[in-house]
């Protein structure tokens, strides 16, 4: 693995318990705001896609997680 240039912005995957992705993302966003890290952590997402499921002869659109158990974070890692 090559050493990254300091200050380089990249996407990282955070592994969580499946089913807790939204709670982890929400708490992480709150921590970013309270610690003033908006200049280093830019985006926190739980990737989802809309799928149409049929339940009892009715079509229902549901959001399904693309990567269960993961939260994606766009950030700059430093040695601070």
């Amino acid at each position: 693995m090559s050493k990254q240039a300091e200050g380089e912005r990249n996407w990282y995957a955070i592994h969580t318990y499946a089913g807790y992705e939204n709670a982890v993302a929400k708490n992480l966003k709150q921590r970013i705001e309270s610690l003033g890290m908006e200049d280093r952590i830019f985006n926190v997402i739980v990737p989802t896609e809309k799928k149409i499921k049929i339940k009892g002869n009715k079509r229902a659109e549901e959001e399904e997680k693309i990567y269960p158990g993961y939260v994606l974070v766009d950030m700059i890692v430093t040695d601070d």
Side-chain angles (χ1 to χ4, degrees):
M1 185 183 280
S2 64
K3 183 172 168 119
Q4 295 177 349
E6 189 166 328
E8 187 176 342
R9 186 171 165 172
N10 287 301
W11 283 94
Y12 297 90
I14 298 174
H15 186 255
T16 69
Y17 288 114
Y20 289 88
E21 301 90 349
N22 292 331
V24 169
K26 180 182 174 188
N27 288 332
L28 187 54
K29 288 175 185 178
Q30 288 174 343
R31 296 280 295 175
I32 291 165
E33 193 174 306
S34 68
L35 295 173
M37 301 290 287
E38 294 92 349
D39 59 331
R40 292 187 190 168
I41 304 174
F42 307 101
N43 204 355
V44 177
I45 61 169
V46 177
T48 59
E49 65 181 346
K50 292 184 181 184
K51 291 214 172 178
I52 296 174
K53 305 234 177 177
I54 299 173
K55 294 182 179 179
N57 294 332
K58 292 186 179 179
R59 297 178 77 178
E61 192 173 277
E62 293 181 353
E63 291 232 342
E64 189 174 287
K65 291 176 182 68
I66 298 172
Y67 305 113
Y70 290 92
V71 175
L72 301 181
V73 181
D74 179 19
M75 63 184 283
I76 297 172
V77 175
T78 62
D79 290 336
D80 295 348

